[in-house]
Amino acid sequence: MDFHPVEQNLRQSFRILAAARERADVCEAGGVSIHSLGATFQMFNAAFLNSYVADEADLERRIALASLHFASRRIHWAFWMCDSFLDRRLQRKAERVFSRMGLTLSSELPAMAAESLVVPWRSLPRIEIEPVCDVASRRAFCEIGSVCFHVPLSWFEEVFDERMAERSEFVPWLAFSDGEPVATAATVVAAGAIGLYNVGTLPAHRGRGIGEAIVRYAIGRARELTGISRTVLQSTSYGYELYRKMGYHTVGQVLVFTS
């Protein structure tokens, strides 16, 4: 599998989260996709490449286009770049190009894909998994995300707000241990793949297979509804080995640069 389903699914996930927001921007221009929520959490005010980059000048032009867009709105933002849109020579220079344009490398996320998941190599815990469907479950989803991704709770609550039910293509889940919410995952079906997002387990409950259990459950439910078995994600360093054991392989890198 190439990188296209990964980056297309990622862009669609931002488009979905931007729906029904007064400050959102969703547009395409000059080789750049803008999918911005207009949120305090700048990672969700995003620009993306949407086609192959010809050369260094072309990359600079696209970064400048995104910079002007967000400067006019006076909000902090992030450029999510799948490096497979660049040739190898330009990949090596990309961080310097972005730095010259005033953006700093914030995250480097392996883009991973699997045609299907391998059978679990260990016994997974028997846990309760429920959809995020009301005020209490949405609050728990945000609280776990705030802890796992090290951002203020208010930022997460702004992104995953009370209109989540209107964004039915983004499907969030909660895992419970002894009645307490301890882990999250979400799926987006787009570009012929199930995209996996917002995977997090509270630190005190890690190492027990809860994260793998909710991931397999969320993917299984999406597969039942769509018949799709291909899955894609962007991994953190913490989750990389788990995903590799589940059958994922790396198809590129997603670099996130912030203003």
Side-chain angles (χ1 to χ4, degrees), residues 152-241:
L153 175 60
S154 61
W155 292 12
F156 243 78
E157 290 183 318
E158 183 182 13
V159 171
F160 303 104
D161 62 12
E162 67 279 358
R163 303 188 73 173
M164 281 295 293
E166 299 176 34
R167 308 180 187 104
S168 59
E169 294 169 279
F170 183 91
V171 183
W173 299 93
L174 273 177
F176 295 80
S177 177
D178 295 326
E180 295 296 323
V182 297
T184 63
T187 58
V188 170
V189 177
I194 300 166
L196 188 65
Y197 300 97
N198 294 91
V199 177
T201 304
L202 292 176
H205 297 272
R206 292 173 183 169
R208 296 163 47 192
I210 293 174
E212 181 180 353
I214 191 173
V215 164
R216 288 184 181 275
Y217 182 88
I219 289 172
R221 289 295 298 269
R223 186 175 59 244
E224 290 172 6
L225 292 173
T226 65
I228 294 172
S229 59
R230 172 183 292 177
T231 62
V232 297
L233 57 87
Q234 299 80 49
S235 176
T236 62
S237 57
Y238 179 80
Y240 181 81
E241 281 303 314

Side-chain angles (χ1 to χ4, degrees), residues 117-180:
L117 301 185
V118 301
V119 175
W121 68 96
R122 59 179 173 174
S123 296
L124 297 178
R126 300 181 67 178
I127 55 175
E128 181 183 0
I129 300 174
E130 298 289 344
V132 176
C133 59
D134 56 23
V135 173
S137 59
R138 184 175 66 84
R139 173 80 178 189
F141 184 88
C142 291
E143 288 175 343
I144 293 170
S146 172
V147 172
C148 293
F149 297 100
H150 310 291
V151 298
L153 175 60
S154 61
W155 292 12
F156 243 78
E157 290 183 318
E158 183 182 13
V159 171
F160 303 104
D161 62 12
E162 67 279 358
R163 303 188 73 173
M164 281 295 293
E166 299 176 34
R167 308 180 187 104
S168 59
E169 294 169 279
F170 183 91
V171 183
W173 299 93
L174 273 177
F176 295 80
S177 177
D178 295 326
E180 295 296 323

